Amino acid sequence: MSSLTVNKKTRRIIPGFHLSLGYTMLYVSLLVLLPLSMIFIHTMSLNWTEFVNIVTDPRAVASYKVSFSTALAAGLLNVIFGTIIAWVLVRYSFPFKRIIDGLVDLPFALPTAVAGIALTSLYAPNGWIGQFFNFKIAFTPLGIIIALTFIGLPFVVRTVQPVLHNISAEVEEASASLGATRLQTFRKVIFPELAPAILTGFSLAFARALGEYGSVVFIAGNMPMKTEITPLIIMTKLEQYDYAGATAIAVIMLVTSFILLFSINLIQWLANRRFVH
């Protein structure tokens, strides 16, 4: 009896727990914590006045507004259309479905610079699509939103898709048989299951959009105070060997992004508790 008790106490779900935990901590430290700490270490070479002057420069502040507003808009668009695409891919059968499903992952594999050049050629005033509009798309914040939506779409689709697979169609039929309308079924039955996945997909798409550079730098036009994104400001300072200035702006982006993502995760946690209870 005592040997069985010892075996139950010492048996782990993952063999070699201590070794696995040590490897995990080493991996996270070398690839995540160490690079992030270097950002703060470089920034500490500045005094407080220099730091404030760099991060509150009008050109930098304008780039913050462009980066965060376009990333937020692209994330919201991806939530809407990504959820619709995931729904169609899961609930309907149609010709070339597998091909379309594979195309969703194309932004993952396509080099971002290639995507930026392609989108610019399409939405430029004389491009295949841009020529049909009376207003400019490329070289405006609207063009940036389109580029960020393109690169962030797979995050929402691939996050929502598995959850939809697990929601049986019989659940909707049971709801309908009890007299619920389609809107009530979606609001009371389907959406509570999808909400955590949608928030996760939005978080991933938003985070990717904030740091995106390659696909945006071409279509943005990079006009200071208008369409210049913060990653471009950082790259410009790095090319000028102003490492402290680049890391100072990176710190602002990092801290702000962390606060926003933490808030999104908090909302997701509260939503989970509400739907569970």
Side-chain angles (χ1 to χ4, degrees):
M1 181 66 68
S2 60
S3 62
L4 290 175
T5 303
V6 172
N7 288 336
K8 288 181 179 179
K9 288 182 179 180
T10 57
R11 186 172 59 187
R12 304 286 185 179
I13 296 176
I14 301 177
F17 170 75
H18 295 92
L19 180 61
S20 301
L21 178 61
Y23 172 77
T24 301
M25 296 303 296
L26 177 64
Y27 185 88
V28 171
S29 298
L30 291 177
L31 295 184
V32 179
L33 297 180
L34 185 60
L36 293 181
S37 65
M38 291 305 298
I39 295 177
F40 291 93
I41 291 173
H42 274 294
T43 305
M44 289 173 63
S45 63
L46 300 170
N47 59 45
W48 178 250
T49 303
E50 292 173 334
F51 175 79
V52 172
N53 289 336
I54 291 173
V55 300
T56 59
D57 179 74
R59 186 173 173 182
V61 173
S63 73
Y64 302 151
K65 295 178 181 179
V66 173
S67 292
F68 282 99
S69 62
T70 54
L72 178 62
L76 293 176
L77 286 174
N78 278 325
V79 163
I80 297 172
F81 295 105
T83 303
I84 294 174
I85 292 172
W87 182 277
V88 171
L89 291 175
V90 171
R91 293 302 176 90
Y92 298 102
S93 297
F94 50 89
F96 308 110
K97 177 180 176 179
R98 291 185 178 273
I99 296 177
I100 295 175
D101 191 24
L103 289 175
V104 171
D105 295 325
L106 187 61
F108 284 147
L110 191 66
T112 55
V114 175
I117 294 172
L119 291 172
T120 303
S121 63
L122 284 174
Y123 291 99
N126 58 346
W128 288 3
I129 298 177
Q131 62 180 330
F132 297 108
F133 292 88
N134 295 326
F135 54 89
K136 291 178 64 176
I137 298 178
F139 318 125
T140 67
L142 179 59
I144 299 175
I145 293 173
I146 291 174
L148 297 180
T149 303
F150 172 79
I151 58 100
L153 180 65
F155 292 98
V156 178
V157 175
R158 295 310 183 207
T159 305
V160 174
Q161 200 171 5
V163 180
L164 280 174
H165 272 294
N166 293 330
I167 301 177
S168 175
E170 284 77 8
V171 176
E172 300 173 42
E173 295 174 0
S175 177
S177 66
L178 293 173
T181 63
R182 291 185 178 182
L183 180 60
Q184 290 174 328
T185 300
F186 177 80
R187 188 165 57 90
K188 296 290 187 178
V189 178
I190 299 175
F191 183 73
E193 296 290 333
L194 290 182
I198 290 174
L199 283 173
T200 301
F202 171 78
S203 302
L204 295 173
F206 177 74
R208 170 67 190 275
L210 276 180
E212 181 60 23
Y213 175 77
S215 62
V216 176
V217 70
F218 295 100
I219 199 171
N222 308 320
M223 292 179 286
M225 311 296 292
K226 294 182 179 180
T227 61
E228 194 172 38
I229 57 174
T230 304
L232 180 62
I233 297 282
I234 296 173
M235 287 297 299
T236 302
K237 288 186 176 296
L238 290 175
E239 291 173 352
Q240 297 171 351
Y241 302 102
D242 183 9
Y243 298 116
T247 55
I249 296 177
V251 164
I252 296 298
M253 291 290 290
L254 180 63
V255 172
T256 308
S257 301
F258 176 80
I259 293 173
L260 290 174
L261 293 177
F262 177 80
S263 301
I264 293 171
N265 288 329
L266 180 61
I267 294 172
Q268 183 178 1
W269 178 73
L270 293 174
N272 284 334
R273 288 193 59 186
R274 177 186 176 186
F275 291 136
V276 167
H277 295 293

